[in-house]
Amino acid sequence: MVDLTHLRYFHAIAESGSMTAAAKALGVSQPTLTVAMQNLEEELKTTVFLRERTGVTLTATGEELFRHAEQVFQTLERVERRIFAMEHDDAGSFVVSCHESLGAYFLPRFMSGFLHSYPGIEILIANTTSPDLVIVKLFHDAMDVMIAVDAPPPSRPVEPSRDSLAPDTVFDPSLHDATVRLRTGPIIYAARVGQCQELVEKLAAMGLPSARRLVCGDLEMVKSLALAGIGAALLPRRVAAYGHPGKLVRLHHSLPFIRDVISLIYRADSHKTSAAKIVKDALVAFGKSLEVEATH
């Protein structure tokens, strides 16, 4: 393996054409250069210089080594600039991981502003988790029972018993219609989302088990079916609202829902470069702005 210091010495000698001039430029003694070149030639098993009274000239192998040495030092210079930029400037590559439904309404607005402001920072989107995490709360949401505003009435109306509802539930005509819809179904939800299962259990505890259940793989499919008027759907309110404002509404305010908090999660041991702080602070600021929007 060629010693990088020896390669730098060789490059300086080749550029100056003189051991004496190279020693002066490098701030080392000429004997130090002589020993270094001897070690370099021994390592490469070749002669890189022809020593003459007026200086040195490169051999054929020396010319080849010089070309590659220049490429090596140019590469190192680029790497040094890149590392400095990652530590101190707005540059770097980062992975942002989130649930696809959260990302569908959170990321487009965030990315459009962020990428314009920080062109040197690359953002990769993934669905992964990491150990040793720091959690920063950003904004609130809720898993709720949603229905399309123009959904058709149930095809098989059923009169729910007043006694089947929880004692503290206010019984009114609109709730009556909501319970009819839930009991006749279908109720649409994503089985792999724990909050959906929890909400189904809460509805069942109120005496509102659905006669028909339409189980999907993800929230986006649930939303599509709900928008098509297929039935009531269990969706986070923000997921229901993005892209189709006003099209999906709560089935009834008296029905149970599951409160949720959306948080930024990042590795506690992550390297704190300038760009990393920019990404984290931008995500926190944008997330908290959504909480402010919801209160106005």
Side-chain angles (χ1 to χ4, degrees), residues 251-272:
L251 180 58
H252 195 275
H253 62 85
S254 294
L255 293 175
F257 59 89
I258 308 296
R259 298 185 185 277
D260 193 12
V261 177
I262 307 303
S263 302
L264 170 66
I265 304 175
Y266 63 93
R267 288 182 61 120
D269 59 351
S270 60
H271 188 49
K272 307 300 190 298

Side-chain angles (χ1 to χ4, degrees), residues 5-6 9-10 13 18-24 26 28-43 46 48-49 51 55-56:
T5 299
H6 293 170
Y9 289 172
F10 162 79
I13 295 168
S18 165
M19 286 276 193
T20 303
K24 184 177 180 180
L26 293 167
V28 300
S29 66
Q30 187 167 332
T32 296
L33 289 188
T34 300
V35 172
M37 291 306 95
Q38 288 172 350
N39 291 337
L40 178 64
E41 290 178 329
E42 183 178 344
E43 177 68 32
T46 188
V48 297
F49 290 121
R51 282 74 171 174
V56 297

Side-chain angles (χ1 to χ4, degrees), residues 146-152 188 214 216 219-235 240 247-249:
M146 312 298 291
I147 193 77
V149 293
D150 55 355
I188 313 164
L214 185 53
C216 302
L219 294 176
E220 294 304 306
M221 179 59 70
V222 173
K223 181 177 178 179
S224 295
L225 293 171
L227 286 168
I230 303 302
L234 307 187
L235 284 169
K247 296 297 184 181
L248 293 174
V249 297

Side-chain angles (χ1 to χ4, degrees), residues 110 114 118 264 274-287:
F110 170 75
F114 184 86
Y118 302 100
L264 170 66
S274 174
K277 186 176 185 302
I278 287 172
V279 173
K280 185 202 75 172
D281 291 348
L283 285 168
V284 170
F286 182 74

Side-chain angles (χ1 to χ4, degrees), residues 191-214:
R192 67 185 180 91
V193 179
Q195 292 166 321
C196 290
Q197 296 283 8
E198 185 179 352
L199 189 49
V200 167
E201 293 171 4
K202 283 181 174 290
L203 291 170
M206 290 182 63
L208 295 172
S210 175
R212 301 180 68 185
R213 298 183 182 184
L214 185 53

Side-chain angles (χ1 to χ4, degrees), residues 154-218:
S155 57
R156 294 183 296 109
V158 174
E159 292 294 332
S161 168
R162 184 189 186 99
D163 296 334
S164 68
L165 299 175
D168 59 348
T169 300
V170 178
F171 191 81
D172 60 36
S174 62
L175 180 57
H176 171 86
D177 293 341
T179 56
V180 169
R181 187 178 295 277
L182 285 174
R183 289 175 65 101
T184 57
I187 185 169
I188 313 164
Y189 63 96
R192 67 185 180 91
V193 179
Q195 292 166 321
C196 290
Q197 296 283 8
E198 185 179 352
L199 189 49
V200 167
E201 293 171 4
K202 283 181 174 290
L203 291 170
M206 290 182 63
L208 295 172
S210 175
R212 301 180 68 185
R213 298 183 182 184
L214 185 53
V215 180
C216 302
D218 59 70

